[in-house]
Amino acid sequence: MKKHLFPIVSIIISIAVWLFAYKHLPAEMPVHWGVNGEVDRYAPTFSAFLLLNGILIAVYAMLLYLPRIDPKKDNYRKFTRPYSIIGNVLIALFLAISIVTVLSGIGAPVSINRVVPVAVGILFIILGNYMQTIKPNWFIGIKTPWTISNDEVWRKTHRLGGRLLIGGGLLFIIEPFLPRNISAVLSIGLIVVIVVVPMVYSYILHKRIVGH
């Protein structure tokens, strides 16, 4: 039951914040911000309430049930604590987005284009620290045909991926405080590096280790 406490409490807090502030919210809520920090998409308040709280519930359900349907489900027992920590940090990220959206809706002086990159940066740093403890599975980590098919490729790719996530996370934290033209390019570049480099590395490593 202990492992369910943080996700359940987070969902309750998010719903409670929305209900408490609901009568003070405008008819339409901002639900998406562009790279320049300006709102570029609105949704009816009730739809925004359902969307953001629904995401929290869906993430919790996903974290709960994915290990049960994974063909490599036995490996989850080897990284139970890291899996729980990563899941809780992910829940915390969406809780923060939900609360900041409400604060923005009631006119509080919050800057979501600063809060979200910092929160994502913290998520990346924590994920990077635990990346090497994640055992082969189909849902969490760097999943390519080459990491899934070879444990050594998985281990070495996740060691590199962990370092990239930590470095990228630190840059994400400082990115919102840079000039906007620089921060936009930096954000896109970081995502490309963090995603593409481990994929290419896993292919090269597989060719070197397996030989075909």
Side-chain angles (χ1 to χ4, degrees):
M1 181 62 192
K2 197 179 209 178
K3 66 180 180 179
H4 302 290
L5 184 62
F6 182 79
I8 291 173
V9 170
S10 296
I11 292 168
I12 292 172
I13 289 173
S14 178
I15 293 174
V17 167
W18 273 88
L19 293 178
F20 180 78
Y22 199 86
K23 64 182 180 181
H24 303 292
L25 296 174
E28 289 194 329
M29 293 284 293
V31 293
H32 191 270
W33 286 257
V35 294
N36 60 354
E38 300 295 328
V39 179
D40 59 12
R41 189 182 306 163
Y42 290 86
T45 300
F46 187 66
S47 297
F49 165 77
L50 292 178
L51 173 66
L52 291 168
N53 290 290
I55 289 174
L56 266 172
I57 294 170
V59 170
Y60 173 50
M62 177 189 71
L63 292 167
L64 192 61
Y65 286 104
L66 286 183
R68 303 183 185 186
I69 62 174
D70 194 325
K72 295 180 179 289
K73 65 178 71 175
D74 292 339
N75 279 348
Y76 284 82
R77 298 172 188 169
K78 302 174 184 177
F79 65 104
T80 302
R81 185 170 178 271
Y83 183 78
S84 178
I85 291 172
I86 291 168
N88 285 342
V89 174
L90 193 60
I91 291 285
L93 171 65
F94 287 107
L95 172 62
I97 292 172
S98 179
I99 292 175
V100 169
T101 300
V102 172
L103 292 175
S104 176
I106 62 176
V110 294
S111 177
I112 198 163
N113 61 312
R114 287 192 172 181
V115 172
V116 171
V118 170
V120 170
I122 294 171
L123 171 66
F124 279 9
I125 291 171
I126 295 173
L127 181 58
N129 273 291
Y130 286 99
M131 187 64 76
Q132 292 187 66
T133 66
I134 299 173
K135 303 305 178 185
N137 69 91
W138 283 92
F139 295 114
I140 304 294
I142 303 166
K143 300 167 295 299
T144 70
W146 311 289
T147 56
I148 291 293
S149 64
N150 186 278
D151 286 354
E152 186 178 358
V153 175
W154 175 281
R155 179 175 57 81
K156 290 185 175 180
T157 299
H158 280 73
R159 183 170 60 193
L160 172 66
R163 292 170 179 169
L164 290 174
L165 279 169
I166 292 171
L170 291 170
L171 291 173
F172 261 111
I173 289 173
I174 67 171
E175 173 264 320
F177 306 98
L178 298 174
R180 285 183 178 176
N181 58 334
I182 296 176
S183 65
V185 174
L186 180 62
S187 296
I188 296 171
L190 284 173
I191 295 298
V192 170
V193 169
I194 290 171
V195 172
V196 174
V197 170
M199 291 178 61
V200 174
Y201 179 72
S202 69
Y203 170 75
I204 295 172
L205 203 56
H206 190 274
K207 295 285 285 185
R208 187 186 306 160
I209 293 171
V210 179
H212 57 82

